[in-house]
Amino acid sequence: IDPAPARQRRVTPLKVVPRLLRVASVLLAYRLDELVDAAHLFRPLKLLRPLLARPRANVAALSRGERLRRALTELGPIFVKAGQVLSTRRDLIPADIADELSLLQDQVAPFPGSEARTIVEQQLNASTDQLYASFDETPLASASIAQVHAATLRDGREVVVKVLRPGIDAQIARDVKLLRSLGELAQRWHPNADKIRPLDVVAEVEKMLENELDLQREGASASLLKRNFASGVDLYVPEVHWELTSARVLTLERVHGISSDDIAAIDDAGLDRKALAAKGVRVFYEQVFRDNFFHADAHPGNIW
């Protein structure tokens, strides 16, 4: 990803047309016509609509939430992340769509476990048989940028191994180009561009994604968060195994728990939901106001 500030790059409005066509085509293929019709950016493309993809026959029986989830997955990591954020806003979207989008938190279509094994071996310069007592090629969870595999250390301790998706750098670069193009258009034509500062928003997203593609940075953040809550009483952060970590592979202590949005399991465990919610708010405020360092992706897929 080009680290130069987004405001220094100029994108000709015509360059955004092919990317908008692709987005519109995918949405139409999944019978999400109402999204295309409602989006102002797509209105100039209506004359080209006959050239776009026809609805796929096999999606007719799918719910609207599943059609949207599949479309976002096909469009790429940035769109998946947008779906993750939307899934937590049940005050803004219908429950059936929120339920389906919540699957984007950790149930994106995985890539082959054999490829994950190869990436681990290339990154850590040893075979997985040497690095771990066991390595499960079946992923525990799969998200837009990486997926996670269960493994066991030579001393018997359980760990999880997070592996970046193959080719994710190119996908992110493509998505950032689209965002940059849209930001340039908004900067030129939006009446409140001086207040919204769309190119600054794009630059912030670009920097965030650049950081997410470096798992050593994520490991460092986890280590700092763990030190900030060293007692492990209110917040327990898994330990990073640095000898088994690189820019594209992150090995963490495996922890078990109940997903924070699994209300039935929380009740079955006899937990006080009100006390749990109050503790969650307090822990987050401690991160923000006491430490000035906080977990910025606190969706239920990341909290147990």
Side-chain angles (χ1 to χ4, degrees), residues 14-27:
L14 288 177
K15 288 186 177 180
V16 77
V17 173
R19 298 174 191 133
L20 286 177
L21 282 173
R22 176 177 177 270
V23 174
S25 182
V26 171
L27 293 177

Side-chain angles (χ1 to χ4, degrees), residues 111-112 115-116 119 145-147 163-171 248:
F111 61 91
E115 289 188 40
I119 293 171
I145 289 179
Q147 68 185 32
V163 185
L164 288 186
R165 286 181 171 272
I168 189 63
D169 307 76
Q171 292 182 48
R248 305 186 74 83

